[in-house]
Amino acid sequence: MGVFQKIAQLLKANINDLIEKAADPEKMLNQLIEDMEEQLQRARVEVANALADEKLLEKKVEENKRLAEEWQKKAELAVSKGEDELAVEALRRKREHERLAQEYQKQYEAQHEAVEKLKSGLKMLEDKIEEAKRRRDLLIAKSKRADAQITITQTMSKLTDTSAFESFEKYAQKIEQKEARAQAQEELLNSTKTLEDKFKELENSDSDILDELQKLKEKMGK
């Protein structure tokens, strides 16, 4: 029964606590299931051995019953032949095998009862392990979801920290100030142009139009 007790201890383990303490919950749960299945396999061997003992006892019962019947027939044969001494010896052997058959019968019945309990316990453990497998999948899913939630919470807590946003605004202001200085320098440069430069720009801007006007006059014969 030691194997059955070990499996029961594994099934009674506080899996939720183990998950919280484990670095890798999925690996830990798979290991627990593997241990359960290993112990279950040993339990199956124990049940098979107990069942084999039951069959052997049953065979002993039948064998001694058969021998008792054979000695009964030998006693009857001896009586029919007038061999009383042989008949008495045959009856003694008959009673001996009857007694052995009764003893083996008691052992067989006790063994049969024990085997039935073992088989029942084995079936219960198989069901429990299947249930544990289903719980394992659910617990692993819960563990992963909890890890994801923790990550999201940590990320959100960092985003709510105003220092990052304040730094962003400072950099934005510096860039805007830099842009304003560039525009101011450009405007200052434009305001310092000489009068001559302005006339040159005016002449350059009208030269194309004057050329086009001259061509138009020539075309119209003026």
Side-chain angles (χ1 to χ4, degrees):
M1 295 297 291
V3 173
F4 285 88
Q5 290 175 350
K6 190 167 184 178
I7 297 176
Q9 289 175 353
L10 288 171
L11 290 169
K12 290 179 180 178
N14 192 332
I15 296 179
N16 290 326
D17 289 343
L18 291 174
I19 288 177
E20 291 179 359
K21 297 176 182 178
D24 189 343
E26 184 172 356
K27 183 177 180 180
M28 182 275 299
L29 286 172
N30 287 334
Q31 184 61 51
L32 280 175
I33 296 297
E34 185 177 335
D35 291 343
M36 290 180 190
E37 290 182 332
E38 182 180 345
Q39 296 301 323
L40 181 62
Q41 185 58 35
R42 294 180 182 177
R44 288 193 180 112
V45 172
E46 286 192 4
V47 173
N49 290 338
L51 183 59
D53 291 341
E54 177 191 346
K55 297 295 183 183
L56 181 61
L57 289 170
E58 184 179 21
K59 184 176 180 181
K60 288 290 186 181
V61 171
E62 297 302 322
E63 181 181 358
N64 280 279
K65 285 182 177 180
R66 177 181 58 79
L67 289 173
E69 291 176 359
E70 288 181 2
W71 283 109
Q72 173 68 26
K73 291 178 181 178
K74 288 179 180 180
E76 293 174 357
L77 177 61
V79 170
S80 66
K81 299 294 184 178
E83 299 287 343
D84 290 348
E85 291 184 5
L86 288 176
V88 169
E89 186 61 29
L91 290 173
R92 286 198 184 103
R93 295 290 184 88
K94 171 198 167 185
R95 287 189 177 182
E96 181 181 350
H97 286 295
E98 285 178 342
R99 180 182 59 79
L100 288 173
Q102 290 175 357
E103 291 296 327
Y104 279 122
Q105 180 67 33
K106 291 178 182 179
Q107 293 182 37
Y108 165 76
E109 290 174 357
Q111 183 70 10
H112 178 73
E113 183 179 354
V115 167
E116 289 303 310
K117 288 181 179 179
L118 287 173
K119 288 165 67 175
S120 177
L122 185 63
K123 179 63 171 61
M124 181 188 68
L125 289 175
E126 288 172 344
D127 293 342
K128 287 287 186 181
I129 290 176
E130 289 302 316
E131 180 184 354
K133 288 179 181 179
R134 293 190 293 271
R135 286 190 64 203
R136 171 195 59 185
D137 297 338
L138 178 61
L139 290 168
I140 289 174
K142 286 183 177 181
S143 177
K144 289 181 177 179
R145 187 181 66 185
D147 289 340
Q149 187 62 44
I150 290 172
T151 301
I152 292 172
T153 302
Q154 291 175 344
T155 303
M156 290 298 296
S157 65
K158 291 178 181 179
L159 290 176
T160 55
D161 185 1
T162 58
S163 60
F165 293 99
E166 290 173 355
S167 298
F168 181 87
E169 288 299 325
K170 288 180 181 179
Y171 281 112
Q173 289 176 6
K174 287 182 179 181
I175 293 172
E176 290 174 354
Q177 290 173 358
K178 184 178 180 181
E179 182 183 22
R181 285 195 298 270
Q183 291 176 351
Q185 290 175 358
E186 184 179 0
E187 291 178 3
L188 181 60
L189 178 62
N190 291 334
S191 66
T192 58
K193 289 183 179 178
T194 64
L195 183 61
E196 184 179 352
D197 291 334
K198 292 181 180 180
F199 273 106
K200 284 182 179 180
E201 289 180 358
L202 183 61
E203 289 175 359
N204 291 333
S205 64
D206 292 339
S207 60
D208 292 341
I209 296 176
L210 293 175
D211 290 342
E212 187 175 354
L213 176 61
Q214 182 61 36
K215 290 179 183 179
L216 181 59
K217 287 181 178 181
E218 291 175 355
K219 183 178 179 180
M220 296 176 64
K222 293 184 179 182

